[in-house]
Amino acid sequence: MQTGIEAADIFRQLAEGMGQTGTPQFYPTLVERLATLLGVDHALVAHVNTENGTQASVVETLAVWSNGMHMPNVVYPLAGTPCETVVGREPCLYPCDVQQRFPDDHLLAALGADSYMGLPLLAADGRTIGLLALLKNAPMALDDLAREVLRIAAAQAGAELGRQQAEEALKASEAVARESERRLDTLLNHLPGMAYRCLNDEHWTMQLVSQGAQALTGYHPHELVGNHLISFAELINDQDAARMFDEVQAAIRDRRPYQVVYRLHHRDGRIRWMWEQGQAVLEAGKIVCLEGFITDVTDHQEAQRVQQAVMQVASTVTSHVGDDYFQQLISTLVELLEADGGFIALLNRSPHEAGDRYRPAGTVTTVSLVADGAPLNNQTFVLSGSPCEQVVMEREAVAHSGHYTPIPGNAIQAQAWIGRRLDNAHGEAIGVMMVFYREPLTTNAFATSVLRILSTGAAAELERRRDQRRMHQLAYTDGTTGLANRVRFLEVQTRMLREAARHHQSLSLILLDIRRFKEVNDTHGHQVGDQLLATIAGRLQDAIPDSSTLARLSGDEFAILMDNPDEAELAETLDNLREAVAETIRLGHNAFNLEVSVGFSRYPADATVASELFKAASIALHHAKRDGSVCPFSYDMMRQQRRRQKMTERLHQALMENRLALYYQPQVNLKTGQLAGAEALCRWYEPDWGWISPGEFIPLAEERGLISALGDWVLAEAARQLLEWQSQGMAALPGRLSINIAAQQFADPQLAQHIAELTQGVPASALALELTESDFMRDPDQAVEITQRMRDAGYVLFIDDFGTGYSSLAYLRRFAADALKIDISFVREMLDNQHDRAIVKTIIAMADALGMKTLAEGVEHQAQAELLAEMGCLEAQGFLFGRPKPADEFAAVWLGR
C-alpha cells in the first residue's frame, strides 16, 4: 500500500470507482479498483441469502475480480469458509495459510489464495447483508491507509446493496400491501368498537351506546346518550359530515344497509378514521331508529396513505443521486405532506469530536432547503438550541404549536415542525430531515410515518456523500487543525510558483516550528497537544494576509506561502506570527507560553523550482532552531548543511568501523597531588578533515540520533581498555574512570542494566557516570528514580557542568549523586572575578552540606588549584595536571608498571 502524496491518488481513484453508484458497473468497478490499489490477486463483493430468515448460509457474489480479469459470479455455502466469520459482523484477516485453516473451502483452493481479508456489508439497521473480501496468493499485510480504504469501500458497497434491496422491496410493496389489507380487515372484525342505536336526525341523537364508545371517542356512553354532553354529529369532521349524511340517507331510501368511512374528533384532540355499518329499523314503513357498529380504522387508512406517499416519493427520486436526490426528495415531501417548507441537513463535527459517537455535532449544514415551493441557498447554523438538537437527541420529534425558527439566523418562521434523525449503518447520527408549517398541527401520524420510512434511503445517500467528503479530507486536510496538509500544500505551492513565474512576481515560503512542543505532548498528553495545535493554527491563520496559504506539514511544523510580498509586508507578517504564538494559551487549568522558530526562503532570489524553494526554507528553519527565532535562507547555510550531512554520514561510518578513539585526562587530589581518577573523552580523526572537535560532532550526534550508539561505544571501549590495562599488568587506576552519559541514554529506565551489559568484566565500583545538570532536570522525578537504581548497582554518579543549568535544591538533595563538577566557565575567571569566585565557593559549601565531594574542571594555573584547595574542593582536572592523552601515553605517565 502506498503512502504520502500517493495516498491522495488512492482516494481519488477510489472515489472515481464509486462514482458508478446506481449503475450495473458499480460492483465490477469497485472490486477491480480495490484489487489494483491494494495489490491483491482477487477481490469479490457478495450478498448473503438466509434460510428461515435467521442465519446466513449461502453467499452469492455480485462481482469477482481474479488475476487481472472479471470472473463469472458464483454461489457457495458459508459453512467452513472465512466468510462465515465476516457474516457474523466481524472483519477478519488471515494473513497467511488460509487454505490450511479452511481445508473445506474449495473456492480458496481454486483461486490459490494464501491470505484473506473480509469485511461485512451492513444495512441501515445494522444487519449483515453482504461481504467484501480480498484474497492474495501470498501473505497479506494491511497498513492504516489500506484499512481506511477498505472501511470506506465496505460502507459504500453496503449502502448501494441496501439501496438496491430497498428498491426491490418497494416494487414488492403493492403485493404486500394487498395481503396486509386482507389481514387487517380480518383483524378489524374482532377489534372492540361501538354498537349504537340513534335517531335519524341532524344530531345523530344516541339512544343506546355500548361501552366501546369510550375507547372509540374518549367519551363515556352516558355523555353521548341524549346528547347529554355532546352530540355524535359534533364529533364528525366538518369536511366529512355532509358526505356521510348523504350516503346514509341514500342507503335508507334504497332499503339497504349503509357503510361509511369518515374522520372523527377524539376527545383528546386526535383525528381518527371510522368505519361504520348500520341500517334503518322500520315500523309500519316509518324509520324508528338507526342501528349499527362503528370501529376505528385509522391504522388501516394511514397505512394506505403512507404507502401511496412512499410510492409517490420513490417514483420521483429513485433516479437521482447526490444533491439532486436531496432536492427532489425534500421538494416532493413538502408537497405531499402539505408543509410550508423543509430541509435535509448534515451534522458537522470538529476534528476533535469526529471520533466521539456520543458527542453531539457542533454545527448543521443543509444539503437541500425548500420554503414556499422554492429552493433556497444552503446554510450552516449552530446545532445547540435549534429544533434540530431535539431531533438529534430524541431521534424523532414533533412540535404542534408555538413560535419557532427552524433554521437559526434565517427569516423563516414556523408554528409547527416534524423532524427525523438520519443514522448511518452503525446507528450514529449523521443528519436531520425536517418539514415545518406556518400553522399549528392537529395531527402528525401520517407525516411521521412517511419521514420514518424515507429516512433510511436519505441516510444512505447522505452517508455516501459524507464518505466522498471524508475521502477528500483524508487526501487534502489535516485532521487535527483542519488546515491543508502536506499533499495539498505542495499542490498549492506548485500552482502559486507557476503563477508567480507567469506574472514575474515573487513568492515567500515560511516554515515554522513550535519550540519544545514535544515536552507538552509528553507532559500533558496528545489530546492537550492536539488542542494546542488547533489553537495555534487559528492564531497563525489570523496573523497572515488573506491571500496567503497556511498548512500543517507534520507534527508541530507549519508552512505559509505569501504571494508577492514586499519587504515590509514580509517583516510585519513574521513579527505577527511570532507574537501570535508567544501570547499565552490557556487550555482548562493549564497555561502555555510558547516560542516559534521561523525559517523562510524567497522565489526567485533563493530558488526557482518548488523542491529547491522548500529545501532552502527547511535549511533556514534548521538554523533558526539552533541560532535564533527567525532566519532567512542564505547559501552559506546550505554549505554548512551539506558539511553537517557529510559529517553525520562519516560519523556513522566511523562508529561502524570502530575508528573513534578514547583519550584519558587525569583527575588529581588537590591536597596530595596524586592521581584520583580519570575521565574518558571521545576523539575523532578523519584523514581528509583532521581532528574534529567534540564540540562539533557530539551535538551533531545528539541532533541526528547517533548519541545513544556513540555513548554505547564509549562505555564498551572504556571497559575494554580497563580490562586491557589489567591484563598488561598495569597499576590499577586509582579512584574511578568517569564516563559521560547523554540525555537520550539517561531517559532509559533500564540504564543501569544496559551499562552493566556493555561493561561486562568491569566492576561497577571502577566507573563513575557523569550526568549534566540540564539533562537530569528535564524530568527530575524520573531522574531521582534512575539515579537511585544506578547507585544501587554500585556506580558513582557525578553531576557535570554544575552551575550552568537550573537545579531545584529540593530535587538536588534527593538525587543519589556523589560529586558535583564545577564548570570550567566559573574556574577560568575565579582569580579575577569575585562573582565567579563566590559562585565556586557556594557550590563547594552546598556540596559539603549535601554530603557530596567537588571536582573542578579546567584548572590551568597553580593559583587556581591553590585557591580551590583552600575553599575545600577535593579534586580537579585540567591542563595544569595533564591534557587528554591516548590510552598508551596515559598509561605510561600515570599507570607505570
Side-chain angles (χ1 to χ4, degrees):
M1 185 69 191
Q2 299 174 335
T3 57
I5 188 168
E6 296 179 357
D9 294 330
I10 290 172
F11 284 110
R12 282 194 291 271
Q13 292 181 43
L14 180 62
E16 291 172 1
M18 291 180 178
Q20 303 290 331
T21 303
T23 71
Q25 294 304 313
F26 174 77
Y27 295 118
T29 302
L30 178 63
V31 295
E32 180 181 353
R33 287 293 172 89
L34 286 177
T36 302
L37 292 175
L38 302 183
V40 297
D41 301 296
H42 320 282
L44 63 86
V45 62
H47 73 85
V48 295
N49 294 325
T50 58
E51 294 179 356
N52 301 324
T54 56
Q55 185 175 5
S57 60
V58 176
V59 169
E60 182 177 359
T61 63
L62 300 171
V64 180
W65 178 265
S66 177
N67 293 322
M69 60 189 300
H70 290 289
M71 302 296 290
N73 286 317
V74 296
V75 178
Y76 62 96
L78 272 175
T81 72
C83 297
E84 189 173 18
T85 304
V86 179
V87 174
R89 297 188 62 186
E90 290 292 334
C92 66
L93 171 63
Y94 297 98
C96 61
D97 300 327
V98 68
Q99 291 190 48
Q100 286 78 358
R101 293 173 178 264
F102 300 92
D104 296 329
D105 191 337
H106 301 299
L107 183 59
L108 292 177
L111 295 176
D114 182 61
S115 54
Y116 175 98
M117 175 66 189
L119 295 89
L121 306 184
L122 303 179
D125 59 3
R127 293 180 297 106
T128 300
I129 59 176
L131 61 92
L132 175 66
L134 304 180
L135 301 94
K136 194 172 183 179
N137 297 343
M140 184 188 306
L142 299 175
D143 57 16
D144 292 342
L145 180 60
R147 293 179 185 273
E148 181 67 7
V149 169
L150 284 175
R151 185 197 69 76
I152 292 175
Q156 289 292 91
E160 177 65 7
L161 184 56
R163 186 191 67 78
Q164 291 179 352
Q165 292 182 350
E167 186 174 349
E168 294 172 0
L170 281 173
K171 293 178 180 178
S173 63
E174 289 186 345
V176 173
R178 286 193 294 271
E179 176 63 15
S180 298
E181 184 177 355
R182 184 190 63 79
R183 294 180 179 181
L184 183 60
D185 288 340
T186 301
L187 181 61
L188 286 175
N189 290 330
H190 298 84
L191 286 176
M194 182 181 105
Y196 68 87
R197 179 186 297 159
C198 72
L199 299 178
N200 186 28
D201 60 11
E202 59 179 344
H203 301 294
W204 305 115
T205 302
M206 293 293 168
Q207 296 177 317
L208 177 67
V209 178
S210 70
Q211 292 297 321
Q214 184 170 357
L216 197 74
T217 68
Y219 293 92
H220 292 284
H222 73 273
E223 294 176 315
L224 296 174
V225 172
N227 305 327
H228 183 264
L229 179 64
I230 192 171
S231 70
F232 192 81
E234 293 179 73
L235 301 181
I236 300 173
N237 186 275
D238 291 342
Q239 297 178 4
D240 299 335
R243 172 185 57 80
M244 174 195 171
F245 184 84
D246 290 342
E247 290 181 7
V248 171
Q249 299 310 313
I252 293 174
R253 286 195 300 270
D254 296 340
R255 302 292 179 98
R256 58 178 173 80
Y258 54 83
Q259 292 182 355
V260 288
V261 176
Y262 55 90
R263 286 167 290 182
L264 183 139
H265 292 274
H266 194 276
R267 191 171 196 170
D268 61 10
R270 294 176 298 159
I271 294 180
R272 310 293 294 172
W273 283 92
M274 300 293 145
W275 178 85
E276 179 179 343
Q277 178 171 315
Q279 62 182 8
V281 177
L282 303 175
E283 290 183 3
K286 295 183 178 182
I287 301 174
V288 177
C289 65
L290 305 179
E291 291 182 344
F293 186 81
I294 305 173
T295 187
D296 190 321
V297 292
T298 302
D299 291 342
H300 177 68
Q301 288 291 116
E302 290 295 329
Q304 285 187 328
R305 289 183 68 206
V306 168
Q307 180 184 344
Q308 293 171 357
V310 170
M311 292 298 294
Q312 181 178 341
V313 173
S315 64
T316 305
V317 303
T318 49
S319 61
H320 300 273
V321 295
D323 293 343
D324 194 28
Y325 170 90
F326 293 123
Q327 194 62 47
Q328 289 292 331
L329 176 58
I330 199 65
S331 296
T332 305
L333 274 177
V334 167
E335 179 181 356
L336 189 66
L337 302 182
E338 300 178 348
D340 295 298
F343 59 84
I344 297 172
L346 177 70
L347 302 181
N348 305 313
R349 282 180 163 80
S350 71
H352 301 293
E353 299 168 335
D356 189 349
R357 62 177 293 182
Y358 302 104
R359 184 194 295 264
T363 59
V364 182
T365 300
T366 63
V367 296
S368 60
L369 171 61
V370 170
D372 298 323
L376 302 179
N377 293 332
N378 287 316
Q379 301 184 36
T380 298
F381 55 91
V382 176
L383 175 67
S384 179
S386 71
C388 288
E389 182 181 28
Q390 183 179 349
V391 177
V392 172
M393 300 301 295
E394 299 178 10
R395 191 183 183 92
E396 191 173 83
V398 179
H400 288 91
S401 61
H403 296 283
Y404 302 99
T405 303
I407 301 178
N410 190 284
I412 299 174
Q413 298 294 315
Q415 293 196 49
W417 54 263
I418 305 171
R420 174 74 181 179
R421 192 177 80 192
L422 304 179
D423 292 349
N424 63 12
H426 303 288
E428 301 164 345
I430 61 173
V432 172
M433 181 188 297
M434 179 179 289
V435 293
F436 49 85
Y437 301 82
R438 288 200 167 88
E439 298 295 332
L441 273 179
T442 56
T443 181
N444 63 275
F446 170 64
T448 300
S449 298
V450 172
L451 289 178
R452 188 176 301 161
I453 293 173
L454 295 176
S455 64
T456 300
E461 184 65 21
L462 197 61
E463 185 170 21
R464 187 189 68 81
R465 177 191 175 111
R466 278 178 58 119
D467 280 342
Q468 286 183 332
R469 191 170 75 170
R470 174 63 174 158
M471 285 188 288
H472 185 274
Q473 289 177 334
L474 289 171
Y476 293 114
T477 307
D478 172 58
T480 300
T481 63
L483 298 176
N485 62 8
R486 178 182 290 269
V487 174
R488 179 59 176 163
F489 177 79
L490 294 177
E491 290 185 359
V492 172
Q493 181 189 19
T494 300
R495 175 180 57 78
M496 291 182 68
L497 203 63
R498 189 165 52 243
E499 290 295 319
R502 180 181 297 116
H503 299 291
H504 304 288
Q505 295 178 338
S506 66
L507 184 68
S508 292
L509 170 59
I510 304 171
L511 297 183
L512 304 93
D513 182 88
I514 310 302
R515 294 184 183 178
R516 299 184 301 279
F517 178 76
K518 185 177 183 300
E519 295 179 16
V520 175
N521 260 350
D522 294 342
T523 304
H524 298 277
H526 289 283
Q527 183 175 3
V528 172
D530 287 349
Q531 292 176 347
L532 198 60
L533 285 174
T535 302
I536 291 171
R539 291 187 177 184
L540 295 179
Q541 190 70 67
D542 293 337
I544 62 177
D546 293 338
S547 60
S548 302
T549 298
L550 172 65
R552 181 190 177 205
L553 302 185
S554 63
D556 57 352
E557 186 174 339
F558 295 84
I560 297 167
L561 283 168
M562 293 186 65
D563 186 14
N564 198 34
D566 56 31
E567 292 296 328
E569 183 182 16
L570 177 60
E572 181 182 4
T573 300
L574 292 172
D575 289 340
N576 291 342
L577 291 171
R578 294 176 59 194
E579 292 173 1
V581 176
E583 184 180 350
T584 301
I585 299 175
R586 302 187 183 278
L587 297 176
H589 300 294
N590 299 312
F592 300 96
N593 294 289
L594 302 174
E595 295 178 345
V596 64
S597 299
V598 182
F600 64 93
S601 60
R602 288 162 288 199
Y603 167 86
D606 299 325
T608 57
V609 296
S611 59
E612 291 300 319
L613 186 67
F614 191 89
K615 181 179 178 181
S618 298
I619 292 173
L621 177 61
H622 178 79
H623 280 263
K625 291 179 182 178
R626 294 192 296 120
D627 303 330
S629 60
V630 177
C631 281
F633 170 77
S634 70
Y635 287 99
D636 185 57
M637 288 181 181
M638 182 172 290
R639 287 190 291 271
Q640 294 180 31
Q641 183 77 4
R642 289 171 179 169
R643 171 178 167 79
R644 291 173 64 81
Q645 181 60 37
K646 190 66 175 178
M647 185 176 291
T648 301
E649 296 170 0
R650 290 200 180 187
L651 178 57
H652 184 268
Q653 187 176 4
L655 273 170
M656 296 298 100
E657 298 174 358
N658 199 28
R659 291 193 286 104
L660 300 176
L662 282 188
Y663 276 43
Y664 300 86
Q665 184 174 33
Q667 297 171 338
V668 175
N669 186 300
L670 288 175
K671 291 184 178 180
T672 66
Q674 299 297 313
L675 184 67
E679 182 177 1
L681 300 168
C682 189
R683 295 293 183 264
W684 179 23
Y685 178 83
E686 278 288 318
D688 296 342
W689 294 342
W691 289 102
I692 302 171
S693 169
E696 184 176 10
F697 75 80
I698 289 180
L700 182 66
E702 291 177 337
E703 178 186 322
R704 300 299 175 92
L706 295 175
I707 194 64
S708 294
L710 180 59
D712 288 353
W713 179 87
V714 170
L715 284 164
E717 176 62 17
R720 185 200 65 77
Q721 187 61 62
L722 287 175
L723 293 174
E724 182 177 325
W725 283 338
Q726 182 181 356
S727 67
Q728 293 174 351
M730 296 286 184
L733 177 69
R736 301 171 187 254
L737 179 61
S738 296
I739 301 173
N740 288 285
I741 301 297
Q744 288 92 327
Q745 294 173 282
F746 192 61
D748 181 7
Q750 305 300 322
L751 180 60
Q753 179 181 346
H754 185 58
I755 293 175
E757 294 172 353
L758 292 171
T759 60
Q760 287 185 12
V762 175
S765 58
L767 300 175
L769 306 176
E770 295 190 7
L771 316 170
T772 63
E773 179 184 13
S774 57
D775 287 345
F776 66 71
M777 284 306 296
R778 291 183 180 183
D779 190 343
D781 291 320
Q782 184 188 47
V784 169
E785 182 180 350
I786 294 177
T787 54
Q788 187 59 56
R789 291 181 185 175
M790 296 171 70
R791 280 293 300 275
D792 293 343
Y795 299 107
V796 166
L797 303 177
F798 286 6
I799 298 178
D800 196 11
D801 299 336
F802 189 79
T804 60
Y806 170 77
S807 298
S808 166
L809 294 180
Y811 277 109
L812 188 60
R813 63 186 178 83
R814 292 172 56 197
F815 287 127
D818 298 276
L820 300 180
K821 293 189 72 175
I822 305 171
D823 188 69
I824 186 175
S825 61
F826 301 119
V827 175
R828 182 184 296 114
E829 304 293 335
M830 64 179 292
L831 296 177
D832 302 318
N833 188 313
Q834 62 178 357
H835 296 294
D836 286 353
R837 188 162 58 251
I839 291 174
V840 172
K841 188 174 182 179
T842 301
I843 292 174
I844 295 171
M846 182 175 60
D848 288 341
L850 294 175
M852 302 179 188
K853 71 176 183 179
T854 50
L855 187 155
E857 297 180 307
V859 178
E860 299 180 358
H861 306 289
Q862 184 62 37
Q864 292 172 329
E866 291 174 356
L867 181 56
L868 286 167
E870 180 182 336
M871 290 180 175
C873 181
L874 298 179
E875 298 175 1
Q877 68 184 80
F879 291 170
L880 176 64
F881 310 108
R883 293 176 179 272
K885 296 180 180 296
D888 292 343
E889 294 182 25
F890 177 84
V893 175
W894 297 98
L895 304 177
R897 295 181 184 271

